[in-house]
Amino acid sequence: MQNLIPIRNVGDRLVDPFQREYYYLRLSITDVCNFRCTYCLPDGYKPNPERDKFLNVDEIRRVAQAFANMGAEKVRITGGEPTLRKDFIEIVENITALEPIKNVALTTNGYRMAKDVEAWRKAGVSSINVSVDSLDPRQFHTITGENKFFEVMQGIDRAFEVGYEKIKVNSVLMRELNYREFDQFLAWIKDRPIQMRFIELMQTGEMDSFFHKQHISGQILADKLLRDGWQLQQKGRSDGPAKVFKHPDYVGEIGLIMPYEKNFCASCNRLRMSAKGKLHLCLFGEEGIDLRHLLQSDEQQPLLEAAIFSALQGKREHHFLHQGDSGVRSNLATIGG
Ligand code: SAM
Ligand code: SF4
């Protein structure tokens, strides 16, 4: 029988059949979270000691090493809540040490940022995305299930104090829960170097009526921004999926993430690894390819790289969200958003 699996030569980069090159790994290090965001884990994380065997530091290092060897420049550490891991600093240090990774980014709910952001910076976290779904403390509590608005705000202030020049803030756009706060968010970033990113609510397997009630297209905001003199910026090759807008009167920027937009997948430059060692070619619509057995020793590195490369050749051109296919993902905490 003919072997249809493409052979990977040493030095080959991560290019898929649609000529998209992958510079960006999103690496989840835990499914556990201490928040209960309405759109993600409304009933909180349910522990399961049998199931909860997340990648250890060596396994994580080998994943990042494989991607670095194939040209990845950026690793985003995500979760669940990644900073809940006791070995978080050690994980960051291991990834930071790899060439040619230039950017080790973190996505966090920010609950321990005020206390720990200095240590994160020393360990090598080069950029931070923190989730803030509302600037109203009570609404923040309603959305996240946690009364931690002021701690998160202090965390952002502290991040600037310890030397971060820009912070990205993520907010999931919801019709009834925060859409009306758009002008407040704008006022908040007028004099602050914050990239305020509005993420369109994505439908996952655990939600249905919530999605239909709360989903609102980011295009409405894009139109408003353009009308008000904001300008769309050009993207760098390892930039995330946000469309970024700037305005001469604002220190901050606006980012819009619109996964339902036509052509969203055309600029895809990222792959995902779950906290249990499954490679996900797309945020939606597939089960993941289990690579954990190839993460057990440094000698397996060439096999690991070959497996990632050959998996990539099966990547689809685009997701099928428009057709209402939410894939098998029950929520985004298992894959890091
Ligand atoms: N716990 C961290 C946090 O909340 O920032 C990191 C993990 S969280 C899964 C990563 C991102 O995914 C967050 O910005 C979150 O708002 C976003 N997210 C989770 N579920 C989502 C959904 N259904 N639609 C859109 N964004 C979602
Ligand atoms: Fe936790 Fe982040 Fe999901 Fe909120 S979005 S429940 S903070 S993993």
Side-chain angles (χ1 to χ4, degrees):
M1 210 172 93
Q2 204 185 348
N3 180 10
L4 294 175
I5 298 175
I7 305 298
R8 177 182 181 263
N9 299 306
V10 174
D12 272 356
R13 301 172 71 90
L14 283 166
V15 181
D16 75 10
F18 306 98
Q19 301 312 311
R20 292 173 296 198
E21 188 161 352
Y22 293 82
Y23 295 103
Y24 180 177
L25 168 66
R26 293 183 68 108
L27 179 59
S28 174
I29 60 170
T30 182
D31 294 352
V32 181
C33 191
N34 54 337
F35 278 26
R36 282 168 285 131
C37 300
T38 358
Y39 49 77
C40 183
L41 291 174
D43 302 320
Y45 178 75
K46 303 267 184 303
N48 179 342
E50 275 305 296
R51 220 181 42 191
D52 295 350
K53 299 218 164 58
F54 303 120
L55 298 180
N56 64 34
V57 179
D58 285 328
E59 291 171 314
I60 290 171
R61 173 178 51 77
R62 290 180 191 123
V63 171
Q65 178 77 66
F67 277 86
N69 290 351
M70 291 189 277
E73 294 170 354
K74 175 168 173 179
V75 176
R76 174 170 300 284
I77 305 175
T78 178
E81 178 46 42
T83 65
L84 284 170
R85 273 189 68 150
K86 296 206 167 54
D87 52 4
F88 176 69
I89 294 289
E90 200 187 342
I91 292 171
V92 174
E93 286 169 345
N94 270 272
I95 300 174
T96 315
L98 303 171
E99 285 287 338
I101 291 176
K102 298 190 210 118
N103 186 345
V104 179
L106 166 68
T107 305
T108 175
N109 63 25
Y111 89 102
R112 58 191 307 157
M113 196 153 128
K115 246 188 316 146
D116 290 350
V117 69
E118 191 168 11
W120 300 347
R121 186 161 170 88
K122 281 195 185 129
V125 173
S126 46
S127 57
I128 298 178
N129 287 27
V130 53
S131 296
V132 179
D133 291 315
S134 173
L135 290 175
D136 170 352
R138 270 189 298 180
Q139 190 67 345
F140 180 97
H141 189 167
T142 306
I143 297 172
T144 62
E146 285 293 322
N147 189 13
K148 294 220 179 326
F149 174 77
F150 293 105
E151 281 94 325
V152 175
M153 288 294 131
Q154 278 165 8
I156 294 174
D157 290 345
R158 185 78 192 122
F160 288 126
E161 279 167 24
V162 303
Y164 287 96
E165 285 173 5
K166 179 160 96 178
I167 294 291
K168 292 181 180 171
V169 172
N170 289 346
S171 193
V172 176
L173 198 55
M174 290 170 284
R175 186 185 295 279
E176 292 170 348
L177 302 178
N178 61 8
Y179 176 55
R180 265 173 258 125
E181 284 187 50
F182 186 62
D183 288 340
Q184 274 161 267
F185 279 114
L186 284 185
W188 187 51
I189 64 161
K190 183 119 198 331
D191 300 311
R192 287 184 179 82
I194 287 178
Q195 185 183 103
M196 186 67 230
R197 297 142 57 88
F198 295 96
I199 309 174
E200 252 183 51
L201 178 66
M202 291 178 249
Q203 185 170 17
T204 57
E206 278 172 14
M207 64 169 85
D208 191 20
S209 63
F210 181 82
F211 176 80
H212 292 292
K213 229 162 126 189
Q214 301 297 345
H215 178 261
I216 180 161
S217 165
Q219 192 57 45
I220 298 173
L221 297 184
D223 294 343
K224 177 175 161 52
L225 290 169
L226 291 172
R227 266 198 317 271
D228 294 347
W230 290 77
Q231 284 149 9
L232 182 61
Q233 306 299 301
Q234 286 263 331
K235 261 194 202 185
R237 68 178 185 184
S238 55
D239 283 348
K243 282 190 169 173
V244 176
F245 296 81
K246 288 190 187 184
H247 191 292
D249 298 343
Y250 287 74
V251 175
E253 302 167 348
I254 296 286
L256 297 180
I257 301 175
M258 302 189 279
Y260 294 96
E261 193 198 34
K262 206 166 160 265
N263 286 338
F264 178 76
C265 305
S267 60
C268 186
N269 61 356
R270 69 214 85 103
L271 296 169
R272 294 177 162 81
M273 184 65 91
S274 81
K276 291 178 194 155
K278 280 188 174 184
L279 176 70
H280 291 269
L281 301 173
C282 178
L283 182 52
F284 289 96
E286 37 88 335
E287 237 179 279
I289 299 148
D290 197 346
L291 297 180
R292 195 155 192 179
H293 60 290
L294 296 176
L295 301 178
Q296 302 314 307
S297 82
D298 291 343
E299 283 67 52
Q300 291 172 299
Q301 205 70 36
L303 290 175
L304 174 62
E305 288 169 28
I308 295 169
F309 183 81
S310 97
L312 184 58
Q313 306 316 308
K315 184 163 160 105
R316 299 189 298 191
E317 192 171 8
H318 47 73
H319 61 57
F320 291 94
L321 289 180
H322 308 90
Q323 287 85 0
D325 169 14
S326 76
V328 288
R329 204 82 61 242
S330 49
N331 57 63
L332 296 194
T334 58
I335 183 81

